[in-house]
Amino acid sequence: MQYNPCGKVVDVVSHNYTTTCVFNTDGVQQTVRWVAMPDNAPLLDEWSAVVDLYWENDKELYQDDLGEVWGAPRPYDPRIIPPGILNALGGHVCGTPANFQFGGVFDPSKGETQYGGFGFPICCDPSVALNGGAGAGGYARISVQYTDAPAGGVQVGGQVVEQLQYTDAPAGGVQVGGQVVEQLQYTDAPAGGVQVGGQVVEQLQYTDAPAGGVQVGGQVVEQLQYTDPPAGGVEVGGEVEEDVVGNLDTLNETGGPFSFGNTITLIGGTNVQLVPGVSTVTINVSSVGPAPGTPTALSARPGNGAIQFAWSAPTGFPNAQNYTLATAPNITFSSGVQLFPNINATNFVATGQTNGSANYGQVAGGFNGQNGIFSSAASATPMNFVSWDDTTDTNGTTWAAHVLNVGALGNFTVGWVVTAFSGAFNAGTTTIQGNALHVAQTGGVTSIPVAHVETGHSAVTIQVTALKNCSQVGIVFSYADISNYWIFYGDGTRLTWGKQVGGHFTFAPSPVSFTWNNGVSHTLKVIRSGGSITLQVDGTTFYTLSDTDLDTNTQHGLYTEAATGETADYTTWEVTSP
Amino acid sequence: MPTYRVTFLFSGGGEGWSETHLFNSTTTDFNALRPLIGQVAQLRAQLLGDPFYVWGVRVAQYLKNDGTRATRAVRLWKGDPAGAWAGWYNVNFGKAGWGSEPSEVAVQAIGFTGPPAPAQFQGNQNFTSLGGVPDDVIEDNGTVLPEAKNFGGLFDQWAGALYKANSGWGWGAANVLVDCQITTIIQNANGTVSFTTPTVIPGGITTNVKYPCRFRDINNGRSALNGEAIVYFVSTLAGVSTFTTREVIGIPTSQTGGFCKVYSPVPTFVPYIEIDLGLIAIKHKRGKSPAARRGRAPRRIRG
């Protein structure tokens, strides 16, 4: 597993124990260790599938795919988490809410999780907080050396690389979490004693360590050195490299929020020398920042067995990456969850969605290995569309630039192709207006645009709602080019059909009467399967034809005739195929 | 609407207990659930004497909208001295004159159901033991004095929040799938017990699914089998249906007669329509505080 509550309380545990548990969706059984926590330990404020089955009244009856395996031995485990370790972790959590609720997915590229001496994963990279001084979260490639340590003490979590050195450590004690490698040196260890957890390699050295004692857990690499750190107290989390030498009494923070891309200026006080002779140091945050926030404006567009989700990057994290999208057929995400990890864009087409019912999605961002919080859910209902347009877009968007909800074969980038009818006619103005496909003619010449899209299917059911304020509105189907297509339209007094095959026109020999006044909408439908053609308006069949002409063509669209000042509006374009 | 098991956890003086209700809500947003659950916790805390307080609330996903079992997931909410719900958990903690009866002394809240619960459950009752009652509320002979400390009024506030229309609070009613006569009982080689019944098993019972059941009247009521057990439905052949227990149960002598009720593995949510205060105190076993650091679990007899 690669997610961990990192010292947060997950459930009320009847007693400390170790037992078999499934954490990942691969079903592999691993071991969960429940440990006693101080009463002031923070809660994991997320849903967790790993629970103490003691509290579950149907533990004998119901076994989830995730969580404890009921019936496995539950031997007592006496280990207790020291409060100092919780402080070092700083409330950090490894993993996303979806990991805890729906299980994780093991990513081999991240390798097996490494654990320190107290059982917490070394991958923890707790955010940095400074008490009264300056604060840094995440990874700052600087190195720190203190003289005159603070009364508030020094807490170091995570990995410290190279040169971190203490002399005369603070009264509050020194707590170091993580792995210590190479040069960590103490002389005159504190009255509270020294506790070292995790891996300590090579040189661990203290000089005049603090009265509060020293607790060292985890990994520290190379040289960790302090000399009397400042009064305001300093907490450093994450990875610290290289070295900064100076004498600090106070630290002031300027420069706004400490986040990616900003700079923080540390300004020395009366007795401050960050480097001998220098009292101001600017830290450029050029590497890892804290975990990103929640992506915003998540939207969902239905397709055929697919949904296109789009979202905005979390506020303050324009470079968030490695998004994880979770989809499920229920808003509770309680079953049927699919995870789409490692998305490096702010939109994604999630396939495998069930046609005909609502499917939901949530997305969370990542940033250099840190996972953010899932957004609120967005939903859409996929259908077996081969072409679908809800005609929703910004006013003035041309039909060509307007992207259909679903194009051929689920393509989400297809727009309309608008062709002028032959002869002296033009294509008029075809734009989105009022969330409708709007045709207008103002140029003094009658416009007859033939707009069509590729659907990939010749056997289709085509439906569109047309608001007529012009001469003729209708559907063009089985379109190949401007000399080969069928049309079905109303002209105000009649409903009729026509076909042009190789430039030769044929019209319905006896058009049916149908009053279609301007300002009135009707829904037109064409059902074609090979030689069988059915033409309907508002669900009533007006023509049933048997004609195989052009029956293999797969483009279909809209047909309009508008004189100057006339308009037509089309909404809800739907094409399905058996 | 999903249904949650909401367990209120009580603590004080090193002792503790829990009280569980089902909560049927239209929302799945935990932050939207907080005020609905927090209000009940706050009203319940008003009924506690010093030093007891609501340690926290455990919310577990339980039933899906269609009434089937939801995937397990829990969330804790502990009393928070800061924030919007500051102080909801320890209303009477440390308050002078509000000393509590010993934790095992409890009063009963008697819940009733009715419409819109399914007809077969209407009229059912549910009993919840409310511990941590203020000392002034209970006389030495066990009589409950609703007027003391305005306990009755505070109880009505708490109960009213639970049973008001569309509150979503209720409990899980057991569904009897079949009540069958037992014809034969045999001990299997692996220690489990199989029994047969001439009853036609309804379609809702399927093979290899665990069902809670209750045996009665086997060997005229004197059998290790009598009582609760978990059984699998095996098959129905030639009009004879066979079940097998999940547990190993020793039956050294021949077993005759008896009946078995088989229940649905998941209950049906039924809402409260009324909750009354029992006027006689009861004794109710209490355990350790949820805040206590637990030691080794007690040994139990295992099958």
Side-chain angles (χ1 to χ4, degrees):
Chain A
M1 62 177 289
Q2 288 164 334
Y3 67 97
N4 194 301
C6 298
K8 289 200 168 188
V9 178
V10 175
D11 197 0
V12 184
V13 179
S14 61
H15 65 280
N16 316 338
Y17 62 90
T18 301
T19 194
T20 304
C21 185
V22 176
F23 293 95
N24 290 339
T25 53
D26 58 13
V28 174
Q29 293 187 351
Q30 296 170 287
T31 300
V32 62
R33 180 194 307 153
W34 295 97
V35 295
M37 302 290 279
D39 198 35
N40 62 351
L43 299 177
L44 176 71
D45 199 14
E46 305 291 349
W47 292 107
S48 173
V50 176
V51 307
D52 175 12
L53 292 181
Y54 171 85
W55 289 96
E56 296 293 298
N57 65 332
D58 58 356
K59 52 187 171 289
E60 301 267 5
L61 298 168
Y62 174 72
Q63 177 69 56
D64 255 333
D65 295 336
L66 291 173
E68 286 189 2
V69 177
W70 184 248
R74 303 170 107 205
Y76 175 65
D77 190 328
R79 277 172 279 196
I80 295 170
I81 295 301
I85 292 297
L86 298 179
N87 292 338
L89 291 167
H92 166 72
V93 170
C94 293
T96 65
N99 290 150
F100 288 95
Q101 187 173 357
F102 307 119
V105 177
F106 181 70
D107 180 357
S109 67
K110 294 182 179 177
E112 295 287 347
T113 304
Q114 301 297 312
Y115 290 88
F118 290 107
F120 285 105
I122 291 174
C123 67
C124 279
D125 196 7
S127 300
V128 174
L130 296 188
N131 293 333
Y139 186 108
R141 187 168 288 274
I142 59 175
S143 78
V144 178
Q145 181 178 29
Y146 282 98
T147 305
D148 186 13
V154 175
Q155 296 179 338
V156 179
Q159 191 175 24
V160 179
V161 180
E162 296 196 15
Q163 205 167 5
L164 184 56
Q165 178 176 351
Y166 268 87
T167 304
D168 186 10
V174 176
Q175 296 178 339
V176 180
Q179 192 172 18
V180 180
V181 180
E182 295 195 16
Q183 204 168 5
L184 182 58
Q185 177 175 353
Y186 268 86
T187 305
D188 186 11
V194 176
Q195 296 177 343
V196 179
Q199 188 177 14
V200 178
V201 180
E202 298 195 356
Q203 223 168 347
L204 178 61
Q205 178 179 349
Y206 268 86
T207 304
D208 189 10
V214 175
Q215 296 178 338
V216 179
Q219 186 178 26
V220 175
V221 180
E222 296 195 23
Q223 208 165 2
L224 178 61
Q225 178 179 354
Y226 269 84
T227 304
D228 194 9
V234 176
E235 296 178 346
V236 180
E239 192 169 4
V240 179
E241 288 194 5
E242 305 285 327
D243 58 328
V244 168
V245 179
N247 304 307
L248 300 179
D249 280 333
T250 60
L251 292 172
N252 295 313
E253 178 183 343
T254 64
F258 200 99
S259 58
F260 178 77
N262 285 349
T263 59
I264 293 295
T265 302
L266 306 181
I267 303 171
T270 305
N271 299 315
V272 173
Q273 289 185 317
L274 294 169
V275 176
V278 176
S279 61
T280 301
V281 169
T282 298
I283 300 173
N284 218 342
V285 184
S286 58
S287 188
V288 177
T294 306
T296 60
L298 178 66
S299 62
R301 302 179 73 193
N304 186 356
I307 298 176
Q308 183 187 42
F309 290 94
W311 57 90
S312 300
T315 303
F317 291 87
N319 296 323
Q321 55 189 333
N322 292 325
Y323 289 98
T324 297
L325 176 71
T327 66
N330 47 75
I331 196 169
T332 60
F333 288 75
S334 55
S335 62
V337 174
Q338 296 186 76
L339 291 177
F340 301 93
N342 303 320
I343 302 170
N344 287 313
T346 53
N347 61 80
F348 185 78
V349 178
T351 56
Q353 308 301 304
T354 305
N355 282 340
S357 61
N359 290 255
Y360 300 83
Q362 290 179 309
V363 66
F367 194 74
N368 277 11
Q370 300 199 69
N371 294 306
I373 302 168
F374 267 84
S375 67
S376 55
S379 70
T381 301
M383 300 288 285
N384 60 335
F385 297 123
V386 293
S387 179
W388 180 52
D389 189 1
D390 64 5
T391 68
T392 301
D393 211 332
T394 307
N395 282 351
T397 304
T398 65
W399 290 20
H402 168 68
V403 177
L404 280 75
N405 295 71
V406 180
L409 307 177
N411 190 321
F412 285 93
T413 62
V414 169
W416 290 85
V417 178
V418 182
T419 304
F421 198 71
S422 59
F425 307 108
N426 66 23
T429 303
T430 50
T431 58
I432 298 290
Q433 297 293 339
N435 291 328
L437 293 162
H438 182 75
V439 181
Q441 172 58 308
T442 58
V445 178
T446 300
S447 63
I448 307 181
V450 178
H452 49 93
V453 291
E454 176 60 61
T455 70
H457 292 265
S458 59
V460 290
T461 298
I462 307 164
Q463 179 170 297
V464 73
T465 299
L467 171 62
K468 186 174 88 63
N469 279 298
C470 58
S471 303
Q472 299 172 4
V473 292
I475 290 174
V476 58
F477 59 100
S478 299
Y479 177 93
D481 53 45
I482 204 66
S483 299
N484 294 279
Y485 58 84
W486 283 75
I487 52 176
F488 171 52
Y489 62 93
D491 62 5
T493 58
R494 304 172 306 163
L495 284 175
T496 187
W497 57 265
K499 64 176 178 179
Q500 189 179 181
V501 180
H504 177 68
F505 255 118
T506 305
F507 287 98
S510 303
V512 296
S513 296
F514 184 88
T515 300
W516 190 338
N517 295 326
N518 280 350
V520 175
S521 294
H522 289 290
T523 298
L524 302 166
K525 180 181 279 189
V526 173
I527 305 168
R528 176 159 206 186
S529 179
S532 172
I533 300 172
T534 303
L535 306 176
Q536 297 178 339
V537 175
D538 296 334
T540 301
T541 299
F542 286 87
Y543 293 100
T544 300
L545 308 176
S546 181
D547 192 326
T548 59
D549 280 346
L550 310 176
D551 65 351
T552 59
N553 292 342
T554 56
Q555 297 182 68
H556 316 284
L558 304 169
Y559 168 82
T560 312
E561 180 177 321
T564 300
E566 293 184 335
T567 63
D569 293 271
Y570 299 93
T571 52
T572 319
W573 165 259
E574 295 179 358
V575 184
T576 57
S577 183
Chain B
M1 296 190 289
T3 300
Y4 304 90
R5 287 183 80 235
V6 180
T7 301
F8 297 93
L9 302 156
F10 298 85
S11 182
E15 301 172 289
W17 69 95
S18 65
E19 296 167 9
T20 299
H21 305 265
L22 295 190
F23 183 47
N24 185 244
S25 174
T26 56
T27 182
T28 57
D29 179 354
F30 192 73
N31 285 325
L33 293 175
R34 280 185 209 271
L36 303 173
I37 296 171
Q39 180 200 24
V40 173
Q42 185 176 28
L43 295 173
R44 177 66 184 90
Q46 290 186 143
L47 301 173
L48 296 173
D50 177 47
F52 296 111
Y53 59 97
V54 181
W55 179 85
V57 185
R58 182 186 192 268
V59 183
Q61 294 182 5
Y62 193 41
L63 302 176
K64 292 191 284 192
N65 293 346
D66 60 4
T68 59
R69 185 62 164 88
T71 304
R72 276 200 177 99
V74 302
R75 216 158 156 160
L76 286 183
W77 184 20
K78 279 170 64 178
D80 182 1
W85 287 91
W88 58 260
Y89 59 101
N90 63 350
V91 178
N92 297 327
F93 183 83
K95 187 186 285 188
W98 275 78
S100 172
E101 291 279 350
S103 66
E104 66 269 25
V105 177
V107 296
Q108 276 193 327
I110 307 166
F112 299 85
T113 192
Q120 69 268 34
F121 302 123
Q122 293 182 17
N124 281 10
Q125 293 182 19
N126 166 280
F127 297 89
T128 302
S129 299
L130 307 181
V133 187
D135 181 58
D136 292 352
V137 174
I138 298 180
E139 296 247 71
D140 291 345
N141 64 2
T143 304
V144 176
L145 304 174
E147 67 276 10
K149 301 282 187 208
N150 188 30
F151 190 82
L154 297 173
F155 178 91
D156 288 344
Q157 288 181 21
W158 168 78
L162 291 175
Y163 69 69
K164 69 181 179 184
N166 302 317
S167 72
W169 293 93
W171 76 88
N175 288 309
V176 178
L177 298 178
V178 63
D179 187 356
C180 52
Q181 183 179 1
I182 297 172
T183 49
T184 62
I185 299 173
I186 60 169
Q187 180 95 59
N188 298 315
N190 63 2
T192 62
V193 174
S194 291
F195 63 95
T196 61
T197 171
T199 307
V200 175
I201 301 303
I205 298 181
T206 55
T207 57
N208 296 321
V209 173
K210 286 180 275 191
Y211 294 94
C213 81
R214 186 167 190 87
F215 295 108
R216 67 183 188 278
D217 294 340
I218 298 174
N219 274 4
N220 294 317
R222 286 177 290 200
S223 167
L225 283 173
N226 287 323
E228 296 177 358
I230 292 174
V231 298
Y232 295 96
F233 171 56
V234 178
S235 65
T236 298
L237 295 172
V240 175
S241 300
T242 305
F243 289 86
T244 298
T245 64
R246 188 189 67 86
E247 296 92 345
V248 172
I249 303 173
I251 46 171
T253 60
S254 62
Q255 309 285 304
T256 58
F259 301 87
C260 179
K261 274 185 182 175
V262 179
Y263 299 87
S264 168
V266 291
T268 298
F269 172 80
V270 293
Y272 294 119
I273 62 163
E274 183 180 337
I275 301 176
D276 292 347
L277 172 65
L279 297 180
I280 298 295
I282 61 169
K283 186 174 182 180
H284 197 270
K285 184 181 177 184
R286 300 303 189 187
K288 286 186 175 180
S289 162
R293 182 168 292 168
R294 311 295 178 86
R296 188 182 299 276
R299 286 185 178 277
R300 293 187 173 90
I301 297 172
R302 295 177 185 272

